Amino acid sequence: MSFGEFQEVKNASWRIEEFHRGVKQCCNIGNFFVRKRFPVLGHISLAMRAFFILEKIRIDKKITWYEFRRELNRIAVGNAIISLCKETGLLLI
């Protein structure tokens, strides 16, 4: 194997490792609350679909997984606070 071929293989394997890390950290694909085959496969397929959608958005925005995750969390928490305030009558929007 030439040095150039080695570099290609090394870069490809690193991209695979990055993919696995992203799926595990951003979509919780490693956390299962079920043990039967079909629920596990369903969890994996939905997590993969979500990851690919999020990955496309992340690439379009040119940000890291962690920046994108922080942005999603900020939006979710903000919406939850607004919803709770509306329910309790503290916010009149």
Side-chain angles (χ1 to χ4, degrees):
M1 178 183 293
S2 71
F3 184 72
E5 292 171 330
F6 170 76
Q7 287 288 74
E8 286 180 32
V9 170
K10 184 185 85 150
N11 290 338
S13 66
W14 182 248
R15 285 190 299 273
I16 291 168
E17 288 298 322
E18 285 181 322
F19 166 76
H20 285 137
R21 180 174 43 102
V23 168
K24 286 170 75 177
Q25 290 181 356
C26 296
C27 293
N28 293 329
I29 203 163
N31 299 331
F32 296 106
F33 298 104
V34 293
R35 294 290 175 241
K36 295 195 178 195
R37 181 174 184 228
F38 288 113
V40 168
L41 291 175
H43 177 78
I44 291 171
S45 74
L46 290 174
M48 294 301 292
R49 284 183 76 183
F51 179 76
F52 291 131
I53 291 167
L54 295 174
E55 185 69 356
K56 180 174 181 345
I57 295 168
R58 183 196 68 80
I59 289 170
D60 291 344
K61 289 181 161 234
K62 296 181 172 108
I63 58 176
T64 68
W65 286 323
Y66 307 105
E67 290 169 322
F68 188 53
R69 190 172 177 183
R70 186 174 45 244
E71 184 178 326
L72 285 176
N73 286 337
R74 191 177 313 127
I75 292 167
V77 169
N79 288 338
I81 290 171
I82 289 171
S83 176
L84 288 171
C85 287
K86 283 181 181 179
E87 287 177 15
T88 59
L90 296 174
L91 187 63
L92 303 173
I93 293 178

